[in-house]
C-alpha cells in the first residue's frame, strides 16, 4: 500500500513494514508507459459500482487486444472476487485475539465482492492516518493461467465512488489500474504495478491524471515524472535496503518552478537568493505595517482586522492543549513576578515589591489579553525598565523628590508619547527590522534567562554552603551549639543545665541529650555541625529559640547544609532534562500518537510535578516559592493611589518629559521587536497582527500602573515565545513515515487571560504554592531560555563554526551562500551580541533597546 511512501506486508503476512521511499526499476517505468499507450483507458467513467466498472473496462478494449467472450466472463468473475486485506490491528486487539487464537493477518477470501463495507474496514485503525477528503486508487496486478496476452486498463471515475469492500478502508475510489497477463512474468507485472502506485502518489502526476482529457495527456505527465527521475547506479548501493522517509520534502510548487539542473547550477549566489528567504519572517510586505496617511489610520485598520475574530478568540481555546499552556506559562509568570518584584523592592526601598508585581502583572496582563491586537503576547517587567527604576529612585532620593509622584508624571508623559506614535503610525518603522536585529534581541534575552537561572542556583551555595573541609575521621568532634553568652564574651550566662548536658546538634536535624531526648531542628542552616563544643552552652534549644533568648550559634559548621544544595541542583537539572525529554516525546517511537502528543503538551507540568514529588518525598527544606498573602502595600508609607500634586514642586510635571522620552524609546523598541518576532510568517498566524493596537494598550496601561504605583509592563520575548511554542498545532492525520505538518498556532485570548487571572489569585493560594521548590522553577526558566535560543537561525550558524565542512548539515542557505560569508555574518552577529551583553551589565543598560 502507498500513502506518499511504500509499505509492504512482511514475510508471514502479520504486519506492515516500516514506511520507506519506493525504489523502482527503470525498465518497469518504460513498460508502464507502453501499457498505458496500448491498453484500455477510460477517463471520466460514470459507474456506480465495481461490477459496472469491470464490464466497461472489458468492453472498451481495442480491437487488436480484445479478449474472447468466454475469457471476459472468467476474467470478470476473477476480478469480482473479494481481495484479501492485511488489517492494521491495535496492540490490545492483537493481545485479545492471542488469548483465543494466534493473531492472524489474513482473512478467508469471500466468494464475491461485497457492495457494502465490511466490519474489518470500518474498524481499521489505518483510517486515522488518512486526511479528510482523501480518495483511493486501486492497482491490481497478477498472472492468469488462461490469458495468452496481457490485459491492461486505466480507469478514472467521474466522481469518487465507494466500491464496497474493495479497499482496505472505506473510502471513495477515483482511479483503477489493472494489469493481468500470462504466467512466468509475475515479477515484471509486480514491478509495473509498483511503478503505477508510485506515480499515483506523486502530487504533480495526480494533478495531471485528474485533468487529463486524452491518453497523450497522461503520457505527457509520465514523461514529466521521468524528467525528474534520479537513477542510482547498480553496484553502488543495496537494492534491498529500505530508504527511510526524509524529514522534509520539496513542495510541488517548487518542483514546477525550479528545474533540478537549474538548482545545482547556482552554487554561490547571494544571501537574498537563499531558498528559505520566504521564511525569514521579514514583515516588509505585511499589510499591518502599510501607512494609511490618516490620523490613527493604522489603529483603525487593526481594530477592523481583529474585530471579526474576537468571538473565535475564546471558542478556539476549548482544547486540552490550552490547559497545558495555561499551567506552564502560569508557573513561569509567577516565578518571573517574584524575581522582578524582589529586585524592584531592593532597588526602590519596597515602594514596588513582590505584591505590587503580582497585582500589576495580573491587571496589566488581563487587560492586554482582552483588548490587544496580538493576545498571545505575555507582558512582564524587563531588565531595562528595572535599571531605569533604580536610577530614578536614586535621583529622587538625592534631590529630595517623591519617587512615586515623579514616576507618575513620567508614566503620563510616556502614555502621551505612545498615543502620538500610534496616531502617526510610527509602528510602520518595524518593517525595517531585519533578521539580524530580531536574532540579536532574541538571543540576548534568551541568554539572560539562562544566565539568571544559573546565577540563582549558584547563589544557593552561598545561602546553604557546603563544607569542603569535612573529614569523615573527625566526625566525632563536629558540633553546633547555642551559646547564651554575649558575643565575644566567653563567660557563660546562668543556666540550670550542667555543662555535661550540652550535646551537639545532629546532622539529621535534631539534638540529642544524655538521656536520649530529641529536639527537632527546623532551620536547615543548623544541619551538619562542624565545631567543638564551647564551654558554655544550652542544650535542647532550636535556632529560633536560641536567637530569641539573645544567644548565638557557635561552631564552624552551623551554616553548612550540603544536602539542601545538592538536592536543589539535582531538582534543577532534573527538571530541565525532564522538560526537554518530555517535549521531544512527541517524535518518539513508543506508545500511540495520542499518548505522545498528550505527554508532549503537558511536558512542563509533568516534569514540575515529578520534581515536586521527589522534593516532598525527601523532606529536605529546600527554598520554596513564597507568595504574598496580604493585600496591602509592601511599604506602609505609600498608598494604592498616587497623588500627582502632593510633595514635589510644580515644575516636576514638565521636567518629567525629558526622562519620559527615553522610556518611550525603550518601551517602543522592546514592544515592537518582540511583536515582529511573534508575528513571523513561519508561525502561520491566520488572524493577523496588531502593532498599533498593542502599542496603544501598553501606553494606556502606563497611566493606570503609574497612578497606582505598580510596575511598568512591556512584551516579554522569551515567555511569549514559550507561550506560542506551547500552542503549536499539527496535523492530526499524516501518512505513515510522514512527519506531522505544522498548521500554525492556536490563536486565542483565553490562555493568556487565565494565566494572569491565576497570577492575581495566587495571593490567596500561598498555602499551596509554598510547596513548590524554587530550583524546579529555575529549571523551567533554563528550559525556556534554551528552547528560545534553539529556535533562531543564529544558533545553527554558530554550530557550523565548530563543524568540519563534511559534517555540516544540508541547510538551504548553504546551497546559495559561500560558507565564508555565512561565517563572517555569524561572527559579526556574535560581536554585536557581546557588545549588547557588556552594555546590559552596566548602568547604560537602559539604552540597550536603542543599540539593538
Amino acid at each position: 500500500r502507498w500513502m506518499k511512501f511504500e509499505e509492504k506486508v512482511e514475510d508471514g503476512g502479520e504486519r506492515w513494514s516500516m514506511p520507506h521511499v519506493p525504489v523502482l526499476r527503470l525498465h518497469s517505468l518504460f513498460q508502464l508507459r507502453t501499457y498505458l499507450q496500448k491498453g484500455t483507458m477510460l477517463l471520466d467513467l460514470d459507474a456506480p459500482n465495481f461490477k459496472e466498472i469491470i464490464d466497461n473496462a472489458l468492453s472498451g478494449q481495442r480491437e487488436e487486444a480484445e479478449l474472447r467472450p468466454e475469457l471476459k466472463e472468467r476474467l470478470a468473475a476473477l476480478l469480482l472476487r473479494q481481495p484479501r486485506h492485511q488489517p492494521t490491528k491495535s496492540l490490545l486487539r492483537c493481545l485479545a485475539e492471542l488469548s483465543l487464537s494466534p493473531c492472524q493477518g489474513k482473512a478467508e477470501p469471500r466468494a464475491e465482492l461485497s457492495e457494502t463495507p465490511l466490519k474489518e474496514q470500518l474498524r481499521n485503525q489505518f483510517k486515522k492516518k488518512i486526511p479528510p477528503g482523501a480518495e483511493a486508487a486501486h492497482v491490481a496486478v497478477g498472472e492468469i493461467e488462461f490469458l495468452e496476452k496481457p490485459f491492461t486498463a486505466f480507469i478514472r471515475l467521474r466522481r469518487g465512488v465507494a466500491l464496497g469492500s474493495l479497499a482496505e478502508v472505506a473510502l471513495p475510489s477515483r482511479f483503477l489500474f489493472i494489469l493481468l497477463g500470462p504466467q512466468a512474468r509475475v515479477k515484471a507485472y509486480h514491478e509495473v504495478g509498483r511503478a503505477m502506485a508510485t506515480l499515483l502518489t506523486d502530487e504533480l502526476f495526480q494533478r495531471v491524471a485528474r485533468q487529463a482529457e486524452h491518453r497523450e495527456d497522461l503520457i505527457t505527465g509520465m514523461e514529466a515524472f521521468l524528467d525528474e527521475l534520479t537513477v542510482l547506479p547498480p553496484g553502488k548501493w543495496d537494492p534491498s535496503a529500505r530508504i527511510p522517509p526524509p524529514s522534509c520534502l520539496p513542495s510541488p510548487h517548487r518542483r514546477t518552478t525550479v528545474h533540478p539542473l537549474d538548482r545545482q547550477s547556482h552554487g554561490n549566489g547571494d544571501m537574498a537568493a537563499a531558498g528559505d528567504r520566504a521564511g525569514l519572517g521579514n514583515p516588509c510586505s505585511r499589510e499591518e505595517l502599510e501607512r494609511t496617511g490618516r490620523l490613527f489610520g493604522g489603529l483603525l485598520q487593526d481594530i477592523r482586522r481583529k474585530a471579526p475574530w474576537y468571538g473565535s478568540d475564546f471558542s478556539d481555546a476549548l482544547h486540552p492543549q490550552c490547559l497545558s499552556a495555561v499551567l506552564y506559562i502560569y508557573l513561569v509568570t509567577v516565578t518571573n513576578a517574584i524575581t522582578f518584584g524582589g529586585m524592584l523592592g531592593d532597588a526602590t526601598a519596597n515602594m514596588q515589591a513582590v505584591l505590587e508585581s503580582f497585582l500589576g502583572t495580573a491587571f496589566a496582563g488581563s487587560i492586554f489579553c482582552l483588548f490587544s491586537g496580538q493576545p498571545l503576547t505575555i507582558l512582564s517587567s524587563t531588565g531595562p525598565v528595572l535599571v531605569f527604576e533604580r536610577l530614578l529612585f536614586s535621583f529622587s532620593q538625592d534631590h529630595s523628590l517623591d519617587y512615586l509622584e515623579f514616576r507618575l508624571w513620567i508614566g503620563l508623559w510616556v502614555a502621551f508619547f505612545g498615543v502620538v506614535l500610534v496616531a502617526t503610525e510610527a509602528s510602520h518603522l518595524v518593517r525595517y527590522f531585519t533578521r539580524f536585529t530580531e536574532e540579536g534581541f532574541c538571543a540576548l534575552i534568551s541568554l539572560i534567562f539562562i544566565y539568571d537561572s544559573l546565577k540563582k542556583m549558584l547563589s544557593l551555595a552561598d545561602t546553604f554552603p557546603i563544607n569542603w573541609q569535612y573529614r569523615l575521621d573527625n566526625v566525632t568532634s563536629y558540633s553546633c551549639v547555642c551559646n547564651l553568652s554575649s558575643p565575644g564574651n566567653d563567660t557563660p550566662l546562668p543556666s540550670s543545665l550542667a555543662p555535661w548536658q550540652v550535646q551537639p546538634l545532629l546532622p539529621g536535624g535534631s539534638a540529642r541529650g544524655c538521656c536520649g531526648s530529641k529536639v527537632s531542628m527546623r532551620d536547615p542552616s543548623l544541619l551538619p555541625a562542624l565545631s567543638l563544643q564551647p564551654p558554655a552552652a544550652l542544650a535542647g534549644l532550636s535556632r529560633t529559640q536560641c536567637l530569641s533568648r539573645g544567644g548565638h550559634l557557635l561552631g564552624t559548621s552551623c551554616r553548612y547544609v550540603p544536602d539542601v544544595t545538592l538536592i536543589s541542583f539535582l531538582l534543577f537539572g532534573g527538571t530541565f532534562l525532564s522538560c526537554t525529554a518530555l517535549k521531544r516525546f512527541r517524535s518518539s517511537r513508543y506508545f500511540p500518537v495520542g499518548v505522545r502528543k498528550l505527554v508532549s503538551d503537558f511536558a512542563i507540568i509533568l516534569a514540575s510535578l515529578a520534581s515536586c514529588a521527589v522534593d516532598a518525598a525527601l523532606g529536605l527544606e529546600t527554598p520554596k516559592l513564597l507568595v504574598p498573602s496580604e493585600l496591602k502595600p509592601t511599604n506602609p508609607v505609600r498608598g494604592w493611589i498616587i497623588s500627582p500634586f502632593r510633595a514635589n514642586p510644580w515644575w516636576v510635571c514638565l521636567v518629567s518629559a525629558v526622562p519620559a522620552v527615553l522610556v518611550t524609546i525603550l518601551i517602543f523598541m522592546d514592544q515592537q521587536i518582540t511583536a515582529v518576532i511573534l508575528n513571523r510568517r513561519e508561525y502561520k498566524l491566520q488572524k493577523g497582527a496588531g502593532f498599533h493596537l498593542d502599542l496603544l494598550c501598553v501606553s494606556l496601561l502606563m497611566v493606570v500602573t503609574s497612578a497606582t504605583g505598580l510596575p511598568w509592563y512591556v512584551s516579554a520575548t522569551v515567555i511569549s515565545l514559550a507561550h506560542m511554542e506551547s500552542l503549536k498545532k499539527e496535523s492530526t492525520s499524516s501518512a505513515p513515515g510522514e512527519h506531522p505538518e505544522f498548521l500554525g498556532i492556536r490563536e486565542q485570548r483565553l490562555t493568556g487571560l487565565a494565566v494572569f487571572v491565576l497570577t492575581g489569585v495566587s495571593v490567596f493560594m500561598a498555602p499551596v504554592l509554598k510547596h513548590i521548590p524554587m530550583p524546579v522553577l529555575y529549571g523551567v526558566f533554563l528550559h525556556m531560555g534554551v528552547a528560545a535560543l534553539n529556535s533562531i537561525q543564529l544558533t545553527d550558524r554558530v554550530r557550523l563554526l565548530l563543524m568540519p565542512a563534511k559534517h555540516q548539515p544540508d541547510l538551504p542557505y548553504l546551497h546559495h551562500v559561500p560558507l565564508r560569508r555565512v561565517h563572517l555574518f555569524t561572527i559579526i552577529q556574535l560581536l554585536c551580541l557581546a557588545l549588547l551583553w557588556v552594555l546590559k551589565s552596566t548602568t547604560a543598560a537602559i539604552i540597550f533597546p536603542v543599540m539593538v
Side-chain angles (χ1 to χ4, degrees), residues 244-281:
S247 58
C248 184
L249 295 173
S251 64
H253 174 73
R254 195 171 178 184
R255 286 174 55 192
T256 54
T257 55
V258 182
H259 193 273
L261 295 179
D262 295 337
R263 288 200 298 267
Q264 296 174 3
S265 63
H266 301 288
N268 293 326
D270 198 328
M271 176 74 80
D276 63 335
R277 64 184 180 271
L280 290 181

Side-chain angles (χ1 to χ4, degrees), residues 275-345:
D276 63 335
R277 64 184 180 271
L280 290 181
N282 188 356
C284 291
S285 60
R286 297 185 69 99
E287 62 172 348
E288 295 95 335
L289 299 175
E290 296 293 334
R291 287 187 68 101
T292 63
R294 302 187 304 271
L295 206 61
F296 292 104
L299 175 63
L300 294 176
Q301 283 192 343
D302 285 350
I303 295 174
R304 294 191 192 102
R305 186 184 308 111
K306 301 298 294 187
W309 299 101
Y310 198 79
S312 65
D313 283 344
F314 293 92
S315 60
D316 290 347
L318 303 179
H319 192 275
Q321 186 182 20
C322 294
L323 176 61
S324 67
V326 168
L327 297 177
Y328 171 27
I329 304 302
Y330 166 68
L331 288 179
V332 175
T333 304
V334 166
T335 308
N336 194 62
I338 290 177
T339 302
F340 275 99
M343 291 188 290
L344 274 173

Side-chain angles (χ1 to χ4, degrees), residues 735-806:
E738 182 186 24
H739 294 274
E741 180 186 1
F742 172 64
L743 302 178
I745 305 295
R746 206 172 296 280
E747 301 175 64
Q748 36 71 46
R749 299 178 183 270
L750 204 55
T751 54
L753 182 62
V755 164
F756 292 115
V757 170
L758 285 175
T759 303
V761 177
S762 297
V763 177
F764 307 101
M765 296 168 58
V768 177
L769 297 177
K770 70 179 182 180
H771 297 290
I772 302 177
M774 289 304 294
V776 173
L777 301 179
Y778 296 148
V780 175
F781 261 54
L782 179 63
H783 168 74
M784 273 200 328
V786 172
L789 197 61
N790 287 331
S791 68
I792 58 178
Q793 192 190 85
L794 173 61
T795 306
D796 295 332
R797 286 187 274 107
V798 170
R799 295 192 185 106
L800 291 179
L801 290 172
L802 308 176
M803 291 184 189
K806 63 179 181 179

Side-chain angles (χ1 to χ4, degrees), residues 33 59 120-121 147 202 209 409 413 459 464 509 633 647 656 798 819:
R33 181 174 57 184
S59 62
E120 290 78 7
Q121 291 176 282
L147 288 180
D202 182 74
W409 282 108
W413 277 110
S459 66
F464 306 101
S656 302
V798 170
L819 187 60

Side-chain angles (χ1 to χ4, degrees), residues 366-429:
S366 300
I367 297 300
F368 188 85
C369 286
L370 285 173
F371 302 107
S372 67
Q374 182 49 272
L376 296 175
T377 304
I378 300 296
L379 295 189
S380 170
S381 296
T382 60
V385 173
L386 177 63
V387 172
F388 178 82
E389 297 277 14
R390 182 182 292 113
L391 295 176
L392 180 63
F393 183 80
S394 300
F395 181 85
S396 301
Q397 294 292 101
D398 295 341
H399 295 81
S400 302
L401 296 176
D402 186 277
Y403 160 68
L404 290 179
E405 185 179 330
F406 192 14
R407 181 178 177 273
L408 169 61
W409 282 108
I410 294 176
L412 294 177
W413 277 110
V414 171
F416 171 74
F417 292 146
V419 173
V420 171
L421 291 176
V422 173
T424 56
E425 299 180 297
S427 295
H428 86 283
L429 297 174

Side-chain angles (χ1 to χ4, degrees), residues 72-270:
K72 288 183 180 181
E73 292 180 4
R74 296 180 64 182
L75 193 59
L78 179 65
L79 290 172
L80 290 174
R81 293 183 64 181
Q82 172 65 42
R84 292 186 299 185
H85 297 302
Q86 170 62 36
T88 303
K89 298 181 180 180
S90 64
L91 178 62
L92 293 177
R93 184 181 172 193
C94 200
L95 291 174
E97 292 181 0
L98 253 177
S99 61
L100 301 176
S101 62
C103 190
Q104 299 291 331
K106 296 182 179 179
E108 289 297 324
R110 296 173 179 269
E112 190 174 345
L113 190 73
S114 173
E115 295 185 359
T116 57
L118 304 177
K119 292 182 179 179
E120 290 78 7
Q121 291 176 282
L122 301 176
R123 291 201 303 252
N124 199 328
Q125 299 294 320
F126 185 68
K127 191 171 184 179
K128 294 181 179 179
K129 297 182 175 296
I130 301 175
E135 295 177 327
H138 305 273
V139 178
V141 296
E143 58 179 11
I144 307 297
E145 58 183 6
F146 56 80
L147 288 180
E148 300 176 355
K149 53 187 177 182
F151 167 74
T152 308
F154 179 85
I155 304 163
R156 184 186 71 198
L157 301 178
R158 184 182 299 276
R159 63 182 184 278
V161 177
L163 299 180
S165 59
L166 181 63
E168 181 183 350
V169 292
L171 284 176
S173 303
R174 179 62 65 96
F175 296 100
L176 294 96
F177 177 75
I178 302 172
L179 173 58
L180 302 175
Q183 291 182 333
R185 299 194 61 188
V186 62
K187 187 173 182 180
Y189 297 150
H190 179 71
E191 291 299 322
V192 172
R194 291 182 62 245
M196 187 73 248
T198 303
L199 273 172
L200 288 173
T201 58
D202 182 74
E203 295 184 31
L204 295 184
F205 185 81
Q206 280 184 30
R207 193 180 305 166
V208 173
R210 290 178 181 275
Q211 298 174 356
E213 298 181 358
H214 306 284
R215 186 189 304 266
E216 290 74 17
D217 298 334
L218 205 63
I219 302 300
T220 302
M222 188 174 178
E223 295 288 351
F225 179 85
L226 290 172
D227 288 340
E228 292 190 75
L229 203 62
T230 301
V231 178
L232 294 174
K236 303 299 181 182
W237 70 293
D238 183 7
S240 63
R242 293 171 178 172
I243 303 176
S247 58
C248 184
L249 295 173
S251 64
H253 174 73
R254 195 171 178 184
R255 286 174 55 192
T256 54
T257 55
V258 182
H259 193 273
L261 295 179
D262 295 337
R263 288 200 298 267
Q264 296 174 3
S265 63
H266 301 288
N268 293 326
D270 198 328

